[in-house]
Amino acid sequence: MPYLGGEDTVRELRRALSNPNVQSDQLRYRNTILKVIRSMSQGVDVSGLFSEMVKACATVDIVQKKLVYVFLCSYATLNPELSLLVINTLRKDCQDPNPMVRSLALRNMTNLRLPSLVEYVEQPLTAGLRDRAACVRRVAVLGWAKLHNLQPNSEIDAAVVNELYSLLRDPDPVVMVNCLRALEEILKEEGGVAINKPITHHLLNRLKECDVWGQCEVLRILQRYRPQSEDELFDILSLLDASLVSPHPPVMAATLSLFLSLCSSLPAVSLAALERVRGPLLAACGSVSREMRFTALCHIQLLLRSLPGLMGAHYKRFFCGYAEPAYIKQRKMQVLVELVNDENVVMLLDELKGYCTDVNTDTAQAAISAIGRIGRSYSDRCLEILTGLLGLKQEHITSAVVQTMRDLVWVCPQCSDTVCLALEGCEETLQDSQGRQALLWLLAVYGERVSSAPYTLEVFIDGVRSEASLGVKMELLTTAMRLFLCRPAETQDMLGRLLHYCIEEETDMCVRDQALLYYRLLQCGIEETRKVLQGRRSDPSLGVLIGRPAEPISQWASSFNTLEPLRQGTTETESASRGSPEHVAFNPKPNTDLSDKLNCGHTERVHSGSDSASGCTDSSADVLASSAAVPLSLSLSPALSPEEFERLWLQRQALHAERGAEKEEEEEYVCLEECIRCPAITHCSPQSLQAAMQLVNIQTLAFTPPHTLPWRVYLYTHTQHTHSDDTPYSTLIIGELLYIGEAHQRGVLKKGTDDGDAVEGREEEPVTEGEEATADGLSSRESARKDGEEEGIKVTLKQQPRDDKVLKGFLSILTTVLHTLSSETN
């Protein structure tokens, strides 16, 4: 640590400041004061010179005054009594003919921040508000905010507040903006500055006079104002039109945020505003400032959630530069994944392939992950690239490729054959725990197709004593058990050795308990073990809808132009890469009039509800007419990944089968089944179905191709409504649409009642003619036989936590969508 001086330095400086010869020479005196400030900035405690510096502030030299005031403001809190000696000099300077001296004195009077000096500061600040010099008024306005911070619990002087409101019309734009900031601080407990129509229009008309940050402040505060008529709204938008394409990114972002706030009920205007800011955002992506580029990329990702094709024609602007930092490269790759389509997929994959060998391992792995997410739509091209990367035999590349293949086959089971062939021999290169876990998972699921699976597993088991990762050990136990069930002769001996080690020698209790569980499970028999470990796999005929659903702008408008996109961008994208499908562009034009028919448009809130869910409804109008006015809002957030959906669906199905309908009534979830007559829906394209569902905030996760039997669609949504005590309440609804065909349909009884009430907690079962019907079920079976000649879509909904009215209201909305689409298809 360098020598910074000590008591000798302070003693020397005191001697120089007290020397009459030095004081008489203005230049030497100023240089001595400069030495004091330099010592202070270097960490020397010069607070002992406070009295000498107080004497030095009585000068006409402005430079010397500034130096002395810096010292006094730094040490005033340590010498509150001596600080009183400065007040007289400062008050005298507040009446100086030079406006610079007056503003300097006012600023430093408030910067002393001593509550005992408040009574001496109020009068100069009041006079400063009426000063003829704009620089003095600027300082005086902010001084009142500082004064309020010193005594936050004191009463607010109404006269001062009125004076500040009147200064909003000051000819100097900086004074106007400072008044807004001061009023925000002083009136914080009352909600900030009150914005009415005259103030709003005055601020908008003078917006161009302000500097960049002044415009941002004005635009931020104007978000509180709500126009009283549509004409006034469009007048305000016209005034903001020029700022929307401002060359300054902060002004553009603040203007767009205000646009989205004002046009929350006009989605078409909001979308047009997003289109207009495309140019400024692209310009910000090429900014010299790295921070500006990163922020622009984060906000572009936000816009793509509602307009997936916004930047589609400009995808080359998101190609990575060689000298760019890794965090910008990774964010650009995330944007590129959103922009992929049939026309640019070849070029984008070639570009991403080049990033896979980047010297930065994080960038290379991010590029491989991006290729895997594109592979959900273009699996053949992507698998060819991923398989080629395995040939490089580089540890971090092989690990990322194996993890990407694991994620890909999870949602695209049709890729499993190619992945199984590519796994041969890659275990020799894998060193990190994440890659080994991914390889073991693939061997567990597809071990019967990989010829070398037992030999690969044996290498892992032989080295289990030196394995440091607990995750790998637990995955190894599961893989050995599942491989034993499909290839017992080859794995029996190694499974025994592994279980013996984990039970007798392993020190970690989690691994030991899992081994004991599997050992005791084997004692129950192979069939019981198979039931537990070999659950139902994904149906290869199901395809995942590629692309993040086009969210309503209201979902993210409040977080625009904040730090929220910067904080959440990474986690959201990572979760999306694991479970949420990526974007594929489709044309929603055939469904443009659907919003009118559903009477809910692009808005986030959907009002519906039902006292009874109709079993087979002929028209959506009948459903909505009979529904009760239960306010219900559907939301796609938080997103539900395909893996989580499958886990919840199978979990609910297992509990339903084990506990029966009687006990299920008491559970915190509920199952509802209905039959809807709209057979033409099975001929609807998946893209049209997804677009229609998204209009009412229902997300379709998976589907079977049109004209395929049985025809299935899986969907989910979050319902939000308010109880009678005004407390918000949210539930999760997952569902399945099933059509098994007309011929088979006639042999299966459809569920329904004469009065339309749904029976909860029961699944459909074939009923023979000789089966004895109960009194409760007689009417439903008779009605099912009458309707047996007509085709129907079986709807199965499962809700958690349970709320019967909300579930039936959601069924009404879903029925309306299906009938509308069915009529369009016809």
Side-chain angles (χ1 to χ4, degrees), residues 150-384:
L150 284 177
Q151 295 179 328
N153 297 324
S154 61
E155 282 190 26
I156 301 173
D157 190 348
V160 173
V161 173
N162 291 335
E163 188 81 20
L164 291 175
Y165 269 113
S166 64
L167 283 176
L168 288 175
R169 298 190 175 274
D170 192 275
D172 185 70
V174 179
V175 175
M176 179 186 72
V177 175
N178 285 358
C179 281
L180 288 175
R181 292 170 177 157
L183 287 170
E184 281 286 287
E185 190 69 31
I186 295 172
L187 304 175
K188 184 186 299 182
E189 295 183 359
E190 301 178 10
V193 58
I195 300 296
N196 54 24
K197 184 176 179 178
I199 292 178
T200 299
H201 287 266
H202 171 71
L203 294 176
L204 287 171
N205 288 323
R206 298 193 57 191
L207 189 62
K208 294 180 181 179
E209 302 175 17
C210 304
D211 60 5
V212 171
W213 300 112
Q215 292 183 49
C216 294
E217 184 75 15
V218 171
L219 292 168
R220 182 186 64 82
I221 292 176
L222 287 179
Q223 291 189 23
R224 300 180 194 157
Y225 181 70
R226 286 294 172 266
Q228 300 172 3
S229 65
E230 189 170 325
D231 291 339
E232 183 187 356
L233 170 62
F234 284 102
D235 287 342
I236 293 175
L237 297 182
S238 299
L239 292 172
L240 293 172
D241 193 60
S243 300
L244 196 60
V245 291
S246 171
H248 305 289
V251 176
M252 177 273 298
T255 307
L256 180 57
S257 181
L258 178 57
F259 248 88
L260 299 180
S261 174
L262 293 173
C263 303
S264 56
S265 59
L266 299 172
V269 179
S270 299
L271 292 174
L274 298 186
E275 292 278 359
R276 293 205 61 196
V277 300
R278 174 169 47 201
L281 278 175
L282 288 173
C285 288
S287 171
V288 178
S289 169
R290 293 178 174 181
E291 293 78 7
M292 183 66 72
R293 273 182 281 165
F294 181 76
T295 305
L297 288 170
C298 293
H299 282 77
I300 284 175
Q301 283 186 288
L302 209 60
L303 266 61
L304 291 177
R305 290 164 59 175
S306 293
L307 276 180
L310 180 63
M311 303 290 178
H314 307 276
Y315 64 93
K316 292 184 180 179
R317 300 287 294 270
F318 301 100
F319 285 176
C320 301
Y322 176 78
E324 285 183 325
Y327 62 89
I328 290 183
K329 288 182 179 180
Q330 294 170 23
R331 194 53 63 103
K332 281 189 172 182
M333 285 185 277
Q334 294 168 10
V335 176
L336 286 175
V337 172
E338 302 283 344
L339 302 180
V340 67
N341 55 44
D342 293 340
E343 297 176 358
N344 60 26
V345 61
V346 176
M347 184 173 290
L348 286 182
L349 286 176
D350 287 342
E351 186 73 15
L352 290 172
K353 183 180 178 181
Y355 305 152
C356 294
T357 54
D358 195 276
V359 293
N360 185 291
T361 57
D362 292 335
T363 301
Q365 291 178 339
I368 294 170
S369 177
I371 292 175
R373 279 148 48 202
I374 295 176
R376 299 176 185 182
S377 339
Y378 307 95
S379 55
D380 294 338
R381 293 189 181 96
C382 296
L383 282 174
E384 182 181 349

Side-chain angles (χ1 to χ4, degrees), residues 702-768:
F703 64 95
T704 49
H707 311 288
T708 303
L709 294 179
W711 180 85
R712 288 190 180 92
V713 174
Y714 292 99
L715 50 89
Y716 79 89
T717 190
H718 296 271
T719 65
Q720 299 174 356
H721 71 290
T722 305
H723 281 313
S724 56
D725 55 352
D726 294 335
T727 57
Y729 191 70
S730 176
T731 66
L732 169 66
I733 296 179
I734 56 178
E736 177 194 51
L737 308 182
L738 173 63
Y739 176 68
I740 57 179
E742 181 179 2
H744 191 42
Q745 183 93 8
R746 292 174 182 174
V748 180
L749 284 177
K750 296 182 293 182
K751 192 174 171 48
T753 59
D754 289 340
D755 57 359
D757 290 337
V759 181
E760 299 166 1
R762 296 181 58 186
E763 295 187 0
E764 290 186 3
E765 297 180 358
V767 182
T768 60

Side-chain angles (χ1 to χ4, degrees), residues 453-494:
Y455 309 105
T456 303
L457 191 64
E458 190 170 16
V459 174
F460 280 96
I461 292 176
D462 290 343
V464 70
R465 284 180 170 80
S466 59
E467 179 59 57
S469 172
L470 298 179
V472 173
K473 290 181 181 179
M474 299 179 75
E475 194 71 56
L476 182 59
L477 277 168
T478 304
T479 303
M481 285 290 294
R482 297 188 70 172
L483 203 58
F484 170 72
L485 295 177
C486 61
R487 304 173 73 166
E490 298 169 278
T491 55
Q492 181 178 1
D493 179 66
M494 64 179 76

Side-chain angles (χ1 to χ4, degrees), residues 434-595:
Q434 293 294 329
R436 295 202 300 274
Q437 282 183 255
L439 177 62
L440 288 171
W441 185 90
L442 288 168
L443 293 178
V445 179
Y446 302 105
E448 70 277 8
R449 304 190 203 173
V450 183
S451 59
S452 62
Y455 309 105
T456 303
L457 191 64
E458 190 170 16
V459 174
F460 280 96
I461 292 176
D462 290 343
V464 70
R465 284 180 170 80
S466 59
E467 179 59 57
S469 172
L470 298 179
V472 173
K473 290 181 181 179
M474 299 179 75
E475 194 71 56
L476 182 59
L477 277 168
T478 304
T479 303
M481 285 290 294
R482 297 188 70 172
L483 203 58
F484 170 72
L485 295 177
C486 61
R487 304 173 73 166
E490 298 169 278
T491 55
Q492 181 178 1
D493 179 66
M494 64 179 76
L495 175 62
R497 287 189 282 120
L498 178 62
L499 289 175
H500 180 270
Y501 166 77
C502 291
I503 294 174
E504 299 294 337
E505 301 180 38
E506 178 60 45
T507 57
D508 187 81
M509 293 304 295
C510 294
V511 178
R512 182 175 178 274
D513 288 348
Q514 186 174 352
L516 281 172
L517 171 66
Y518 288 155
Y519 178 75
R520 291 164 182 163
L521 191 60
L522 287 170
Q523 289 179 328
C524 298
I526 291 297
E527 291 305 319
E528 291 297 324
T529 306
R530 200 181 301 276
K531 289 179 182 179
V532 173
L533 291 179
Q534 289 188 341
R536 190 181 71 176
R537 296 181 184 175
S538 300
D539 187 351
S541 65
L542 289 173
V544 176
L545 283 174
I546 307 304
R548 180 186 288 128
E551 299 180 8
I553 296 176
S554 57
Q555 290 280 98
W556 52 265
S558 61
S559 62
F560 188 83
N561 198 29
T562 66
L563 294 178
E564 193 87 11
L566 279 66
R567 288 197 300 264
Q568 293 187 351
T570 302
T571 55
E572 286 181 358
T573 310
E574 287 303 316
S575 64
S577 67
R578 292 298 302 270
S580 179
E582 297 299 333
H583 166 67
V584 64
F586 61 91
N587 186 9
K589 290 182 180 178
N591 299 303
T592 52
D593 59 341
L594 182 63
S595 59

Side-chain angles (χ1 to χ4, degrees), residues 44 134 285 327 389 392 429 468 515 601 673 686 714 719 785:
V44 179
C285 288
Y327 62 89
L389 291 173
L392 298 177
T429 317
E673 296 177 3
Y714 292 99
T719 65
R785 288 193 181 97

